[in-house]
Amino acid sequence: MPFFSFGQSLEKDTLKVKEHEVSEIQAELDSLLQNNYHLDATALADSVLVLAKETYSNTDLRIILIHKRIAEKFADNGYSNIASQYIQRALAILRSNPTPNYAFIGDMYIYLAQIFRHHQLSNIAINYYEQAMEAYEQAEGREHYFPLVNVYMTLGNFHYEIENFGTASSYYTKASNLISKMDTQYRADMVEILNRIARAQTRTGAYKIAIKNLNRSIQIANKVFGKNSIELANQYESLAEVYLQRGDHQDANEAANKVVKILVGNIGTAERRQTYERKIADTFFYKREYGLSHQWYEKLYADALIANQDFNDFTELTKWYLQIAGKFERVKEDVIALKIYQKILSLNQERFGENNLKAAEVMHLISKCYVRLNDFQQAETYTNKAYAIEWEIGSEKDSTQLAIQNIDMAGLLLMKGDTVEAVKLYHNVEKLEENRESRWKAIAYNNLSMIKFEQKKFTEAYYYSELLLSYYKENYGRDYIKTIGCYLLIGNIIYAQGEQEKAVENYYSKPIRLASHLFRKPNEVSFQANKNLSDYYKNLKKEDLSQRYAAYAREIQVIISSENTN
């Protein structure tokens, strides 16, 4: 038993029945039971008890011990029901005493419960644990407090496992209240008891009392095991979990830091420590505590780097940390993503020098972060650095590589509002890709058309949109979704020139028939097309159609405005 030992002062092998020692009789019982002679074993046991009653008075506790010894033999050989009969007889003797020893009665019920628990008859066992509890509660003195705590905990655990958390909590509370009456300051086993109580209380939402019990377990663990013990770390880990469930993120963070500090001071805990750091980082991320999450991912990355020094380990860790940065990007935490990319870049350059291809790759990622943060000057700086490295140590410049660079730089210039220089770069792309069809040239056509449209240079806008349409038709077919999308762009240009009917009948009509979902795309082209169609059908008194496209336009405007705000 975890918290007490049954009848220690009375359990003696010198118990005798007439001229025989009880241990000798037990050996004979073993022999009979091992050969499945349980009827003969029962007859022998009964005869021993008859002799015992002649040897000892009926109130002598040694009579009870002989019953228990016999029951143990039957239980050990699988005869639970017969064993329980002898324990029940002993209980009857105990209860017949004018002044019953309730602590001893509780001990016997505990043993009876253990017999059935061992044979996985938990419902019967629980019944006996409840009777043990009732007996202990009637006992005088404090000697039985620990077995009573054990009973409360056992009943609490049973109800906890079947998710009856209210009943479990009531038993745990009884255990907690009883513990408060005991001198538990230096008892090692109380650390785990208080921890178990707190876990159940947490499941029932009793966070305040759970935290109180965990703080008590922390005090005891600190005194009993020491300030750098794993046992103390376990208690802080449980405390952090309660704070997380209650939503006290700063307190959880403080407790979690204490866990890691202790683990750092213990040899052989690197795997556990890093697993815990990852768990806390992930938990804070999913709770949208992104600042705290970043702190823990950074701690984990630094921890892992110390433990893994060779090239392959560094490469794998960097790959993982890049994925973490991507997580923050997806939730629009670009400031945090930028810090991670800058950390990776710094460590990369420390190891492999200022100029290497991985550094260039990270610089491109940094540039994109700066774009989303509207710092276009820094974005341009990092893009230029990245391409400079690639040209210096990469393959010889070819037209495609130059085209990609021009596309990237033109996009940055547009974001800065430098339309003139952006147009020059798009024209460079046209020249570089002059003798072949490429997606880079298509991007240039698309963006030149949009720029000219914004500048109300409709003839030039139409020219580039036609080139874009021809590219998609030739390379992907007439019904390719981007081919159909070109008709929206051209429709907008024709409509702006005052030829509304031509725009609708010759251009908007095709996506209306073949790809109506294009009118729901959250971009400027779809927005303008919806506005035009709404106005067109309104003039024709077709209110249903007019309202449909007006609604589409409003939806797109909300999305675009939201993205611009963020």
Side-chain angles (χ1 to χ4, degrees):
M1 294 294 293
F3 308 122
F4 71 99
S5 179
F6 177 89
Q8 287 180 331
S9 61
L10 295 174
E11 284 280 14
K12 304 289 185 182
D13 282 336
T14 54
L15 284 173
K16 291 186 177 182
V17 179
K18 295 291 185 183
E19 70 276 11
H20 299 288
E21 288 190 2
V22 171
S23 58
E24 295 174 357
I25 299 168
Q26 286 178 304
E28 188 175 348
L29 277 174
D30 270 336
S31 177
L32 290 170
L33 291 170
Q34 286 170 7
N35 289 286
N36 296 322
Y37 298 137
H38 67 279
L39 294 176
D40 293 336
T42 302
L44 174 61
D46 289 344
S47 66
V48 168
L49 290 172
V50 169
L51 292 173
K53 290 176 181 178
E54 295 175 2
T55 306
Y56 306 111
S57 68
N58 200 42
T59 58
D60 195 315
L61 292 181
R62 283 174 288 189
I63 293 285
I64 309 304
L65 291 177
I66 293 172
H67 277 83
K68 178 176 177 286
R69 290 286 188 86
I70 291 170
E72 285 173 346
K73 289 303 171 187
F74 281 100
D76 290 345
N77 287 277
Y79 296 98
S80 300
N81 289 330
I82 297 175
S84 66
Q85 291 171 16
Y86 285 102
I87 296 295
Q88 293 282 14
R89 289 187 200 176
L91 282 165
I93 295 170
L94 284 169
R95 288 189 177 280
S96 66
N97 195 308
T99 56
N101 185 334
Y102 286 108
F104 206 165
I105 290 172
D107 291 351
M108 293 298 285
Y109 273 121
I110 288 289
Y111 182 69
L112 194 56
Q114 287 178 325
I115 291 173
F116 287 97
R117 193 176 186 182
H118 176 73
H119 293 285
Q120 298 183 357
L121 299 169
S122 58
N123 288 330
I124 298 174
I126 288 300
N127 178 56
Y128 289 126
Y129 277 119
E130 289 172 345
Q131 292 186 67
M133 176 188 70
E134 292 172 2
Y136 285 134
E137 288 177 341
Q138 295 179 74
E140 297 179 356
R142 293 192 171 197
E143 292 81 3
H144 64 285
Y145 274 11
F146 271 101
L148 181 53
V149 167
N150 183 52
V151 171
Y152 285 145
M153 294 298 295
T154 300
L155 291 170
N157 290 341
F158 171 77
H159 288 284
Y160 185 92
E161 288 167 6
I162 62 174
E163 299 188 0
N164 189 357
F165 299 120
T167 302
S169 182
S170 68
Y171 281 118
Y172 287 137
T173 300
K174 286 183 178 182
S176 179
N177 292 339
L178 187 59
I179 289 167
S180 66
K181 300 177 182 179
M182 302 163 62
D183 180 14
T184 61
Q185 188 172 11
Y186 297 106
R187 289 198 62 95
D189 47 16
M190 295 312 302
V191 173
E192 180 58 22
I193 292 173
L194 289 166
N195 189 287
R196 286 158 64 188
I197 291 172
R199 287 203 301 269
Q201 289 166 334
T202 301
R203 291 293 296 268
T204 62
Y207 300 120
K208 187 174 181 180
I209 187 65
I211 290 168
K212 181 180 178 182
N213 279 319
L214 284 171
N215 280 323
R216 287 172 63 197
S217 73
I218 286 169
Q219 290 174 354
I220 296 170
N222 189 36
K223 290 182 179 179
V224 174
F225 300 110
K227 64 181 181 179
N228 292 319
S229 64
I230 296 296
E231 290 79 5
L232 182 58
N234 293 340
Q235 304 317 303
Y236 277 121
E237 186 171 344
S238 295
L239 183 61
E241 185 62 30
V242 176
Y243 281 132
L244 282 170
Q245 292 191 42
R246 197 169 76 163
D248 294 339
H249 298 132
Q250 290 299 332
D251 288 332
N253 182 58
E254 183 178 342
N257 272 304
K258 290 178 180 177
V259 174
V260 172
K261 183 178 179 181
I262 293 170
L263 294 178
V264 167
N266 283 270
I267 297 172
T269 63
E271 183 176 354
R272 174 183 170 179
R273 184 176 68 245
Q274 291 170 20
T275 299
Y276 184 67
E277 288 166 347
R278 177 65 182 267
K279 175 186 173 184
I280 291 294
D282 288 343
T283 301
F284 279 132
F285 185 89
Y286 295 123
K287 288 181 175 291
R288 301 182 181 181
E289 290 291 328
Y290 298 122
L292 290 174
S293 177
H294 173 229
Q295 290 177 23
W296 281 94
Y297 281 127
E298 190 171 31
K299 191 188 297 289
L300 172 58
Y301 183 54
D303 194 347
L305 281 175
I306 292 171
N308 302 277
Q309 290 291 322
D310 66 33
F311 173 80
N312 290 331
D313 290 333
F314 180 79
T315 301
E316 287 302 309
L317 285 171
T318 299
K319 182 179 178 182
W320 165 78
Y321 210 29
L322 286 170
Q323 292 172 350
I324 296 300
K327 282 178 60 172
F328 284 106
E329 284 185 307
R330 287 192 290 275
V331 295
K332 298 185 178 181
E333 289 292 325
D334 294 300
V335 171
I336 294 176
L338 178 60
K339 289 179 181 177
I340 294 174
Y341 289 136
Q342 288 172 330
K343 180 74 172 180
I344 292 172
L345 178 62
S346 174
L347 290 172
N348 170 276
Q349 291 178 323
E350 284 178 15
R351 285 191 173 226
F352 308 116
E354 290 291 317
N355 298 336
N356 63 83
L357 290 176
K358 190 66 179 181
E361 177 188 330
V362 177
M363 285 176 184
H364 281 302
L365 296 170
I366 290 173
S367 176
K368 291 176 181 177
C369 276
Y370 275 123
V371 168
R372 288 190 294 274
L373 294 169
N374 297 320
D375 191 340
F376 304 116
Q377 187 60 53
Q378 283 282 43
E380 184 177 1
T381 298
Y382 275 95
T383 294
N384 284 329
K385 285 182 181 179
Y387 279 120
I389 292 171
E390 290 169 351
W391 297 141
E392 180 181 343
I393 64 177
S395 59
E396 185 181 349
K397 297 181 184 180
D398 60 31
S399 61
T400 298
Q401 289 172 315
L402 287 169
I404 295 169
Q405 182 179 1
N406 277 271
I407 289 290
D408 286 347
M409 294 305 301
L412 289 171
L413 288 168
L414 281 178
M415 292 176 191
K416 289 170 63 178
D418 193 345
T419 305
V420 174
E421 290 301 317
V423 168
K424 289 179 182 178
L425 291 175
Y426 287 132
H427 285 318
N428 284 344
V429 173
E430 283 188 275
K431 292 175 184 176
L432 289 165
E433 301 292 278
E434 184 177 8
N435 297 320
R436 61 169 171 256
E437 298 296 334
S438 75
R439 62 186 299 265
W440 314 115
K441 188 160 62 174
I443 291 172
Y445 288 155
N446 180 79
N447 291 352
L448 283 168
S449 178
M450 294 291 292
I451 291 168
K452 299 301 180 183
F453 181 80
E454 288 294 322
Q455 294 174 340
K456 301 189 183 305
K457 296 178 180 179
F458 300 124
T459 301
E460 293 180 61
Y462 181 79
Y463 168 75
Y464 287 112
S465 64
E466 278 288 307
L467 289 175
L468 182 63
L469 179 60
S470 298
Y471 167 79
Y472 283 130
K473 278 184 177 180
E474 183 176 341
N475 290 281
Y476 301 104
R478 292 179 305 170
D479 295 332
Y480 179 59
I481 193 65
K482 288 190 177 181
T483 306
I484 299 172
C486 286
Y487 286 93
L488 284 183
L489 177 59
I490 298 173
N492 289 347
I493 296 167
I494 298 298
Y495 199 97
Q497 291 176 297
E499 299 184 66
Q500 289 88 350
E501 186 173 351
K502 179 181 177 182
V504 175
E505 297 299 327
N506 294 357
Y507 294 100
Y508 291 149
S509 59
K510 186 157 187 173
I512 288 172
R513 288 185 289 105
L514 300 178
S516 60
H517 65 279
L518 289 175
F519 291 95
R520 309 295 292 273
K521 291 284 185 181
N523 57 54
E524 294 288 348
V525 174
S526 299
F527 174 68
Q528 188 62 53
N530 283 313
K531 281 186 64 180
N532 292 344
L533 284 168
S534 178
D535 292 341
Y536 178 77
Y537 287 121
K538 186 175 182 180
N539 291 333
L540 293 177
K541 308 298 184 185
K542 295 182 178 180
E543 292 296 329
D544 289 346
L545 289 173
S546 176
Q547 290 176 11
R548 176 195 300 175
Y549 290 106
Y552 291 166
R554 286 193 297 273
E555 289 175 9
I556 294 170
Q557 188 174 32
V558 168
I559 295 171
I560 292 174
S561 298
S562 175
E563 289 176 350
N564 290 338
T565 301
N566 292 333

